[in-house]
Amino acid sequence: MNKLLKQSINFLVITFITGSYAQSKMHFDQSKPIEERITLLMSKMTLDEKVGQMNQYNGSWDFTGPLPESGSEEEKYEHIKKGWVGSMLSVRGVKEVRAVQKIAVEETRLGIPIIFGFDVIHGYKTLSPIPLAEAASWDLEAIKKSASVAADEASASGLNWTFGPNVDISNDARWGRVMEGAGEDTYLGSKIAMARVKGFQGEKLDANNTIVSCAKHFAAYGYAEAGKEYNSADMSTSKLYNTVLPPFKSALDAGVRTFMNSFNTLNGIPATGDSFLQRDILKGAWGFDGYVVSDWASIKEMVTHGYAKDGADASAKAVMAGSDMDMESHLYVKELVKLVENNTVEERFIDDAVRRILRIKFELGLFDNPYKYCDDVREKATIGNKAINEAVLDMAKKSIVLLKNDSNLLPLKKSGQKIALIGALAADKNSPLGSWRIAADDNTAVSVLEGMQQYKNNQLVYKKGTDVSIGKQLFVQEVKINSDDFSGFEAAKKVAKSSDVVVMVLGEVGFQSGEGRSRTELGLPGNQQQLLEEIFMVNKNIVLVLNNGRPLALPWAAENIPAIVEAWQLGTQTGNAVAQVLYGDYNPSGKLPISFPRNVGQCPIYYNQLNTGRPVNKEKNVFWSHYIDVEKTPLFPFGYGLSYTTFKYENLKLSKSKYKRGETVELSVEVANTGNLDGKEVVQLYINDPVASIVRPVKELKGFELVELKKGETKTVKFSLTDAELGFYNNDGDYLIEEGTFNIMVGGRSDKGLTDKFELK
Ligand code: BGC
């Protein structure tokens, strides 16, 4: 027997006899309840090791390659080996994840597994539509499925935690991250938050094809003033409770296990250091027992905000306010031990955070099998497989919104047509991937050109007209559309002139929305508007296909172009989805989840505004709430979207005209498909409480149903309203249900519908 083996056996015998080995491994005993396992493990952890669990680093090098030898990368590597890293972000792929996990599990004193986070925002490697686009489907089952296939693909690649869903409500098209949420409405946003959490986390968190989800950004990030990225938010308590918080609560009700706080200040306090948000509401009133991760370096940024005097002060404020894990500030690992030792921070704050983090790791089953997401065979079989592509194609079709279709220019005839396809984005295979696509390979989307080429009985001629230029900023691509090169215009015009129909794919490049991409102009970027108008001069039969990550303001197009299709950035299967809609193989049913303004000056514009004292032009003078240069209504309202068929609403009926509080208000409406095709319609229910102790919105969505109707078919759609829909929060955060009249409206868009009213006693 060799010497080493002998020594090991001796060690095992001795430790078993003394019991310490058995004890040190007791937290691995799966028959014990998780809380007991956490207690056992924590009793062995040094303060350094506890703080280590609260530290998250970005994986900035290739772990299966050469080891980092200097700088912060070397430090990170050393910290992993010491057990000072509880989580890594953006390490991905089975080989890489396994390599890091091996260090944590096999080389650190306690072998605590690492949790691997990643921004699975709309798919992992195979991309689904951007979240705003998915929201336009109003199809909760499809959205849930989309999150679950993303979880399947990401988990097959070693990951077990997504930084999603983004549940920020935002009504400001200038803000680049509107693409990442579910739009402007709290009710719709709450339902979608729930669907996404359920999709990511599935039935069982410890299954190897589900991942932990994270509701972000807590809170009010979407209300960045003037739509400027990272800007401050200021709002009343009632607005916070009524508008911003419900999607977070809904995510929690769906079982979300982590939250991420946000970069912004809310009423002067950085969210990362806000104990009202994180301790009082989230962990107090709502009883959340998972953990909160900071946003990237947001702990450090509290110094820049002017809320903390240095890194130590920021760490103390953040941890006491309830930020459990430090994403890339490198501050907890540096400061927290000292802060406890010099009695600035009580150790109970550390213990609470660590318990929360370990809880999720136990729930994931990482202690039972730290390599459960590291299966090369599954990775190979899953990434980009047929089922995932089918699911993202289905989601992409459901996300498309038909904004205009004069004289039924759409669907296109399938044969005998000469079709000109124009626009830099029409052949682009990169832009449709959107801006959260870190794991996707460049240029892997099906372009609109490729999608349309599948329909072979027409003559299709492509001319780009203008071009996308790609530069490189630090870390990210800088992309734009030409503004001063008109050399492609003539060729495009020539083809357009001799064609039956012109399909123009215009809008924003995928990287023109998303984090850090706020805009102050909402028209078509570059020279695309000019291209559109010049093509229109030679052929008016234009179908405008929009690609964009935010509402655009396109009044000229809305007035002049006969057919407009909102196709956002639809992910990997973009071209197939667009072509199937253009050719009528799929009848669109999407509805806008956010209002489209007439111009940027209207922003923020949203349907559920409060009434002013002068909402209409009663006296026929200038002193009423309006603009003197443009109508005050949006160009396309929330909830709006057409179909290739038509729907008629009739017989709105309330079960009674008077209800008591606590009783359920039942109502029904008949919806008929009056056109010539089968189709789907999103039937929407809005309420208005015209007299209340706090002024209530002119309309609020409180129910919707996606109904499939064969041509000629009529269905009765039923809704119910309970206290949960009829009340609101006041400025003390109390939920009130007040008696009085309620107006209701049911229809296929937020600005029109059948109306009725009832009394609540
Ligand atoms: C974003 C987060 C994201 C994080 C990690 C931050 O800049 O605000 O939403 O999860 O980076 O990538």
Side-chain angles (χ1 to χ4, degrees):
M1 201 183 294
N2 76 33
K3 204 171 147 205
L4 201 69
L5 195 60
K6 235 178 179 169
Q7 273 174 359
S8 313
I9 292 176
N10 281 346
F11 169 78
L12 282 178
V13 170
I14 293 164
T15 46
F16 262 112
I17 290 168
T18 59
S20 68
Y21 177 82
Q23 231 180 26
S24 75
K25 298 281 169 189
M26 256 154 57
H27 64 274
F28 287 114
D29 181 351
Q30 290 180 40
S31 68
K32 292 194 190 309
I34 284 180
E35 294 308 308
E36 196 183 324
R37 294 174 75 183
I38 299 172
T39 307
L40 283 164
L41 176 56
M42 284 181 66
S43 70
K44 284 170 203 35
M45 292 171 78
T46 62
L47 182 57
D48 281 304
E49 285 165 338
K50 286 184 192 166
V51 167
Q53 286 303 303
M54 300 164 70
N55 182 30
Q56 184 188 53
Y57 283 146
N58 185 48
S60 42
W61 75 97
D62 192 355
F63 288 84
T64 49
L67 296 179
E69 276 168 14
S70 61
S72 84
E73 291 187 348
E74 192 200 9
E75 187 180 84
K76 283 181 186 175
Y77 180 65
E78 289 305 319
H79 286 185
I80 300 173
K81 287 206 295 191
K82 284 183 175 151
W84 288 0
V85 179
S87 174
M88 295 291 294
L89 77 141
S90 301
V91 176
R92 62 174 195 274
V94 161
K95 255 198 195 148
E96 289 292 306
V97 170
R98 188 189 286 124
V100 185
Q101 194 68 301
K102 201 158 181 284
I103 306 172
V105 171
E106 295 178 24
E107 293 184 37
T108 67
R109 197 178 74 90
L110 291 170
I112 302 175
I114 282 177
I115 179 166
F116 291 89
F118 194 80
D119 289 285
V120 185
I121 307 296
H122 54 108
Y124 173 65
K125 197 165 180 122
T126 311
L127 293 179
S128 53
I130 57 169
L132 185 66
E134 289 196 359
S137 71
W138 298 53
D139 187 332
L140 300 174
E141 272 311 307
I143 292 172
K144 181 175 162 202
K145 175 87 195 280
S146 169
S148 96
V149 295
D152 189 26
E153 204 180 47
S155 60
S157 197
L159 298 165
N160 39 38
W161 178 24
T162 172
F163 305 127
N166 176 330
V167 303
D168 297 322
I169 297 299
S170 178
N171 51 33
D172 200 326
R174 294 169 295 183
W175 190 47
R177 294 188 88 167
V178 285
M179 56 76 54
E180 209 180 311
E184 76 188 34
D185 184 65
T186 299
Y187 183 85
L188 177 63
S190 300
K191 297 281 177 202
I192 290 177
M194 183 165 276
R196 289 196 166 128
V197 169
K198 289 190 171 160
F200 284 132
Q201 295 193 168
E203 297 293 318
K204 284 173 91 259
L205 207 54
D206 64 352
N208 70 351
N209 62 351
T210 60
I211 54 180
V212 173
S213 70
C214 178
K216 71 185 189 187
H217 303 85
F218 199 63
Y221 184 34
Y223 282 80
E225 225 173 64
K228 189 177 72 179
E229 184 63 298
Y230 311 130
N231 212 2
S232 332
D234 238 82
M235 66 175 59
S236 65
T237 309
S238 64
K239 182 155 186 164
L240 178 70
Y241 273 88
N242 288 313
T243 308
V244 170
L245 294 183
F248 288 99
K249 180 62 169 51
S250 173
L252 183 58
D253 293 341
V256 75
R257 296 309 280 134
T258 68
F259 272 63
M260 184 185 290
N261 55 36
S262 55
F263 290 125
N264 57 288
T265 58
L266 172 62
N267 303 331
I269 315 275
T272 304
D274 193 334
S275 61
F276 168 65
L277 284 175
Q278 297 173 104
R279 291 238 178 256
D280 300 353
I281 297 178
L282 180 59
K283 294 176 177 176
W286 294 359
F288 172 62
D289 69 354
Y291 65 88
V292 179
V293 62
S294 80
D295 204 345
W296 182 291
S298 67
I299 298 178
K300 189 160 71 186
E301 287 172 14
M302 292 206 297
V303 178
T304 325
H305 275 298
Y307 188 70
K309 68 173 187 292
D310 53 23
D313 191 27
S315 302
K317 286 187 166 132
V319 75
M320 290 194 283
S323 292
D324 302 308
M325 187 182 276
D326 171 2
M327 181 194 285
E328 271 290 327
S329 279
H330 298 222
L331 281 178
Y332 277 6
V333 72
K334 190 164 151 220
E335 305 289 353
L336 282 185
V337 171
K338 284 185 272 174
L339 288 165
V340 171
E341 283 169 357
N342 68 22
N343 295 323
T344 311
V345 170
E346 290 174 56
E347 195 166 350
R348 68 181 172 93
F349 288 114
I350 313 295
D351 284 346
D352 176 55
V354 175
R355 178 168 284 277
R356 288 167 180 277
I357 294 163
L358 293 176
R359 185 174 288 137
I360 306 307
K361 292 187 178 184
F362 274 108
E363 287 177 7
L364 271 172
L366 282 178
F367 283 91
D368 311 326
N369 179 5
Y371 302 107
K372 63 194 293 185
Y373 305 90
C374 298
D375 174 346
D376 312 80
V377 177
R378 189 180 151 229
E379 182 177 45
K380 220 164 162 209
T382 308
I383 306 288
N385 71 19
K386 195 162 166 253
I388 295 178
N389 272 287
E390 277 167 6
V392 300
L393 172 59
D394 182 59
M395 188 72 251
K397 288 188 277 189
K398 289 174 170 161
S399 305
I400 291 174
V401 186
L402 181 63
L403 294 176
K404 196 176 169 195
N405 193 19
D406 282 0
S407 335
N408 292 335
L409 185 55
L410 286 172
L412 299 174
K413 293 193 188 79
K414 284 188 178 160
S415 59
Q417 298 273 292
K418 180 173 177 193
I419 297 183
L421 177 63
I422 294 172
L425 296 173
D428 199 312
K429 293 173 66 60
N430 213 26
S431 173
L433 300 175
S435 87
W436 276 113
R437 30 79 69 83
I438 308 168
D441 296 327
D442 282 347
N443 297 309
T444 46
V446 178
S447 69
V448 174
L449 173 61
E450 289 167 329
M452 290 189 71
Q453 279 167 343
Q454 304 300 311
Y455 292 81
K456 299 193 187 322
N457 296 333
N458 279 333
Q459 190 196 344
L460 181 71
V461 185
Y462 172 62
K463 289 282 172 234
K464 62 182 157 193
T466 186
D467 214 345
V468 175
S469 68
I470 301 182
K472 188 99 183 145
Q473 280 191 9
L474 189 60
F475 302 132
V476 292
Q477 285 185 350
E478 187 194 30
V479 279
K480 316 201 244 277
I481 294 188
N482 280 339
S483 48
D484 45 15
D485 178 0
F486 299 90
S487 57
F489 275 36
E490 278 316 309
K493 273 160 51 179
K494 200 166 160 217
V495 171
K497 200 170 176 185
S498 63
S499 295
D500 299 301
V501 183
V502 184
V503 175
M504 294 188 74
V505 184
L506 306 178
E508 297 179 310
V509 183
F511 284 118
Q512 287 182 313
S513 61
E515 187 175 350
R517 277 85 167 195
S518 293
R519 288 180 64 201
T520 63
E521 294 288 346
L522 296 176
L524 294 167
N527 56 11
Q528 296 179 103
Q529 179 67 31
Q530 207 168 327
L531 178 65
L532 178 63
E533 291 185 28
E534 289 196 22
I535 299 286
F536 184 74
M537 304 274 279
V538 299
N539 190 338
K540 298 198 169 15
N541 271 347
I542 295 178
V543 176
L544 172 59
V545 176
L546 293 172
N547 284 185
N548 42 318
R550 53 158 58 80
L552 294 178
L554 303 171
W556 186 89
E559 198 181 324
N560 295 291
I561 301 299
I564 307 179
V565 174
E566 176 51 77
W568 318 100
Q569 284 121 15
L570 294 173
T572 306
Q573 289 290 335
T574 289
N576 289 331
V578 170
Q580 287 182 31
V581 165
L582 295 184
Y583 278 106
D585 284 338
Y586 188 85
N587 186 356
S589 58
K591 302 273 187 178
L592 294 179
I594 189 163
S595 310
F596 276 40
R598 293 173 188 276
N599 64 30
V600 72
Q602 288 186 315
C603 289
I605 183 166
Y606 50 102
Y607 85 94
N608 50 359
Q609 64 198 333
L610 306 189
N611 234 344
T612 64
R614 297 180 185 186
V616 287
N617 193 4
K618 240 200 292 187
E619 313 292 343
K620 302 286 174 225
N621 64 29
V622 76
F623 303 111
W624 66 293
S625 179
H626 72 302
Y627 299 104
I628 57 169
D629 56 353
V630 74
E631 268 185 66
K632 67 176 187 171
T633 53
L635 190 62
F636 297 110
F638 173 83
Y640 168 82
L642 305 171
S643 161
Y644 293 150
T645 186
T646 46
F647 301 101
K648 191 166 174 209
Y649 287 71
E650 267 175 335
N651 291 327
L652 173 61
K653 278 192 202 134
L654 278 156
S655 59
K656 299 197 283 184
S657 58
K658 290 195 169 94
Y659 296 86
K660 289 198 208 81
R661 270 178 283 193
E663 239 184 297
T664 301
V665 177
E666 312 271 8
L667 58 125
S668 65
V669 68
E670 283 170 20
V671 186
N673 180 341
T674 49
N676 288 323
L677 282 171
D678 300 348
K680 287 186 288 178
E681 167 76 335
V682 181
V683 183
Q684 303 158 42
L685 163 66
Y686 296 86
I687 68 162
N688 158 247
D689 180 356
V691 184
S693 57
I694 286 198
V695 174
R696 306 301 306 133
V698 290
K699 261 169 216 167
E700 286 179 278
L701 182 74
K702 290 294 175 182
F704 63 89
E705 198 161 319
L706 181 62
V707 209
E708 284 198 52
L709 291 163
K710 299 243 170 288
K711 68 174 175 182
E713 192 185 11
T714 300
K715 274 188 184 164
T716 302
V717 180
K718 292 184 176 160
F719 291 104
S720 49
L721 294 166
T722 65
D723 285 358
E725 286 83 31
L726 297 174
F728 59 89
Y729 290 92
N730 67 11
N731 274 316
D732 298 321
D734 298 326
Y735 191 72
L736 308 176
I737 300 135
E738 294 184 345
E739 59 179 37
T741 303
F742 281 82
N743 299 314
I744 56 167
M745 186 192 90
V746 178
R749 51 197 282 178
S750 65
D751 61 341
K752 276 187 195 151
L754 303 176
T755 57
D756 205 341
K757 59 175 127 195
F758 63 88
E759 293 292 317
L760 193 69
K761 278 256 173 242

